[in-house]
Amino acid sequence: MSKIACGTNYTVCVSTTGVLYAFGFNYYGQLGTSTNSGTSNPNPGPYNVMNGSLSGKTVLDVACGTDHTVVVCTDGTVHTFGRNYYGQLGTSTNSGTNTANPTPINISSQGSLSEIGRAS
């Protein structure tokens, strides 16, 4: 593994080939899958998260919050998934609710995020 990040009761790892894996608690979809989302059942084995907007991408870096995950890919795009109660996913989808956003979404075109990854 080349990168590891931890949220509350879950872990995500980036392999040396840029593939994202996640495991642990997934109540709010913070593992990037709908498997066991909305339940207290954990996902104890590593789950390959390269779906949704991450399909065909190479992951460069990852960070976790309490119930959400943010991913940066080598092409400079930013992807988020998990709980969005306070708008922490950078999208209005399910903002202000406890409804999970378990599928990675590309938020790179949202406002000033389009500047991420560009040389100064």
Side-chain angles (χ1 to χ4, degrees):
M1 292 296 140
S2 66
K3 304 258 179 170
I4 297 174
C6 300
T8 301
N9 300 313
Y10 77 104
T11 303
V12 292
C13 306
V14 180
S15 73
T16 56
T17 59
V19 176
L20 185 67
Y21 294 93
F23 46 94
F25 191 64
N26 192 41
Y27 191 87
Y28 296 108
Q30 61 268 44
L31 299 184
T33 178
S34 58
T35 303
N36 290 329
S37 181
T39 76
S40 294
N41 298 322
N43 292 335
Y47 172 80
N48 182 323
V49 187
M50 304 305 287
N51 63 69
S53 66
L54 289 177
S55 181
K57 302 282 186 180
T58 302
V59 175
L60 176 65
D61 209 350
V62 64
C64 299
T66 301
D67 298 315
H68 70 288
T69 305
V70 179
V71 177
V72 177
C73 292
T74 56
D75 63 0
T77 56
V78 178
H79 308 260
T80 60
F81 43 93
R83 185 177 183 213
N84 194 35
Y85 192 85
Y86 300 103
Q88 62 267 46
L89 297 184
T91 179
S92 60
T93 304
N94 294 324
S95 182
T97 75
N98 283 319
T99 303
N101 290 321
T103 304
I105 56 170
N106 183 339
I107 62 159
S108 300
S109 62
Q110 307 279 331
S112 62
L113 284 181
S114 62
E115 297 299 317
I116 292 176
R118 294 186 184 169
S120 300

